[in-house]
Amino acid sequence: MFKLETIISLAKRRGFVFQSSEIYGGLNGCWDYGPLGVELLQNIKNAWWREMTFRDNIEGVDAAILMHPRTWDASGHTSQFSDPMIDNKTSKARHRADNLIEDFIDKMKKKKKNDIAEKIEVELEAAREPADFYNIIVNNQIPDPVSGTTDWTEVRNFNLMFKTFIGPIEDSSSAVYLRPETAQGIFVNFKNVMETGRQKVPFGIAQIGKAFRNEINTKNFLFRTREFEQMEMQYFIKPGSEQDWFEYWKEQRWNWYLSLGMKAEKMRWKVHNKLAHYANYAVDIEFEFPFGFGEIEGIHSRTDFDLKAHQEFSGKKLEYVDTVNGERFVPYVIETSGGVSRSLMAFLCNAYDEETVSDENGKSETRVVMRFSPKLAPIKVAVFPLVNKDGMPEKAQEIYQDLSKSFKSQYDTSGAVGRRYRRQDEIGTPFCVTIDGETLENGTVTIRERDSMEQIRISADKIKQYLFEKI
Ligand code: ATP
């Protein structure tokens, strides 16, 4: 297993991800996507959008990030969207109490102290209130990873929503929040979408958009950030059918990751025993990052919690009426809630590979290759003239310009062809087209495939068709 630093360094070096406001020293928990990063991000979002909304009964929305503040009272975020926070008095380091305990459990497991780890795991499972987390930390003498001391403050709950003010006056009546999840933008539009889309239960609403959480600790690169993007779908169903639909969406979502090249052995299910206030079944799809397994998507059965709450808080009926038998009910909801940026990081880790190959002189060298699914690869094809003379650049430009109309392409003339291949391997470009002397004679080019490194010769006018088939 390679290190997370290897991915971070490649991401920066090749223009996938930069620190936010880097020239000012960066802003904690925020990241910027560079030229290749936006392509990858866009490809993930497009793949999700196609997968979810290219169905008769799933519609899309794009709700505003700022929502009526009552939304968050109804959803429970104002009172419950908080994490337990603890400070170490010696180092002044601030931790999320549950994460501090989890890290300690992992440490115990690594030291083969499984009985201690298991005991604390049981305690953590049962913890609800700040005092529960505090007792676990103090009773088990969990030390601060920074100072090594057990000199702790009390545990307090910290609300993760970012607050701001709408209009010129900063008082409590103008307070609004940056949405901490996209889901509520879907619930408040349930009726609008159902009516305008003439949808009947079961049907779904999908949304991709930014969400903001003032996380206590941000760590592990894109895994836990303060600004991130989510891709969420709420599927409205008849009460009583939730178990079947839950199973259906679990399978759909698992297979989506596989269809984009995610390795099955790097994924696993996590079943939640401790459920959020709104859920009656919940599982996560986890991916094995260099620092261990972590959630990339949650599939939750949310009952009628959200619609009922919005009905109560808004005074507007959010019912479904079955036109055939006149039955009225507030639909139940199965939610699929994935992180775009977190899955981008998973796709980066999943794609990274190093192998020893021999260069054109037979000398062995290390090849870094991002084995992205061609569907996700930021650049689909690179075009190289073998040498910068004899009419090759002109011909290569002609081919490149034509391919650029259909695929995100790159043109590269610098250095030996072997070096140019390596540069493309490192960003995961699945195909490279080389124009050489033979191209000028008989109109054929070589296409080299990234993973096998095999080269075939085909007629230049067949390149597009070949790429469409492969991508
Ligand atoms: P965690 O327990 O890790 O804080 P969560 O269970 O609160 O996450 P959800 O509210 O279910 O997460 O969010 C759905 C998805 O949104 C997650 O699976 C993840 O991909 C993404 N996500 C949530 N919080 C963050 C974050 N701070 N940074 C990046 N992605 C996030």
Side-chain angles (χ1 to χ4, degrees), residues 22 214 329 331 356 459:
E22 194 183 81
N214 200 359
F329 55 87
T356 308
S459 166

Side-chain angles (χ1 to χ4, degrees), residues 342-356:
R342 217 183 254 188
S343 69
L344 178 139
M345 180 173 156
F347 283 118
L348 282 175
C349 295
N350 185 67
Y352 187 87
D353 197 12
E354 284 174 15
E355 65 178 8
T356 308

